[in-house]
Amino acid sequence: KGHLKLAEQLVSLHLVEPPYPRLPSYGYGRLVKGILCPQCYSFFTDFLGGLLVCNSCGCKEEVESAVLRSVAELQLLFPDQKITTKVVHEWCRIIKSEKTIRRILGKNYKLFRNGRSSYYSNF
């Protein structure tokens, strides 16, 4: 009897609607692009010998981990966006070389070749 009452109480408390139904609207073109510092969340401005250096807090991060973190952010914000070298290069902004982006993506993701519309995926 007690279990049935507890189950009914849990069912009555179940929320069908998400608690935060209204997310702010955003679009790819309207967002400021760049790699954020993982400590102070300001944009990295210096790229020195394979390291990104934050001018605000002095944090240093390897380029590969920063790019992979930025790709994860991109996938979270735009789950339908295909991960291409060009898109990641534009998203990261501070990394000047598309070759560097291609190397990092090739090392950590699977490449699906489709001519000019090739893309990377993590599965």
Side-chain angles (χ1 to χ4, degrees):
K1 230 178 187 180
H3 291 290
L4 183 60
K5 186 176 180 180
L6 178 62
E8 288 172 354
Q9 187 177 10
L10 287 174
V11 168
S12 71
L13 293 174
H14 179 71
L15 298 175
V16 177
E17 292 293 320
Y20 308 107
R22 293 179 289 149
L23 291 174
S25 63
Y26 59 90
Y28 182 81
R30 291 179 31 199
L31 295 178
V32 178
K33 291 152 186 76
I35 300 177
L36 294 174
C37 171
Q39 290 183 358
C40 70
Y41 301 106
S42 62
F43 286 101
F44 278 116
T45 54
D46 293 332
F47 180 45
L48 306 168
L51 290 175
L52 294 171
V53 181
C54 177
N55 279 345
S56 298
C57 69
C59 173
K60 295 178 182 177
E61 185 177 16
E62 289 186 16
V63 173
E64 185 169 336
S65 63
V67 169
L68 293 175
R69 195 168 38 80
S70 292
V71 170
E73 291 171 0
L74 180 63
Q75 288 177 316
L76 180 67
L77 292 170
F78 304 100
D80 296 332
Q81 175 79 41
K82 289 194 175 183
I83 303 302
T84 65
T85 303
K86 189 172 208 141
V87 167
V88 174
H89 182 253
E90 181 182 330
W91 183 255
C92 291
R93 195 181 72 173
I94 193 171
I95 311 296
K96 302 297 182 209
S97 169
E98 281 191 19
K99 186 177 180 181
T100 301
I101 301 290
R102 191 176 304 109
R103 179 184 53 79
I104 293 169
L105 291 174
K107 185 176 170 185
N108 295 282
Y109 292 89
K110 180 174 172 39
L111 174 62
F112 291 92
R113 293 186 185 273
N114 196 14
R116 291 186 57 87
S117 57
S118 295
Y119 65 95
Y120 295 88
S121 180
N122 51 355
F123 48 84

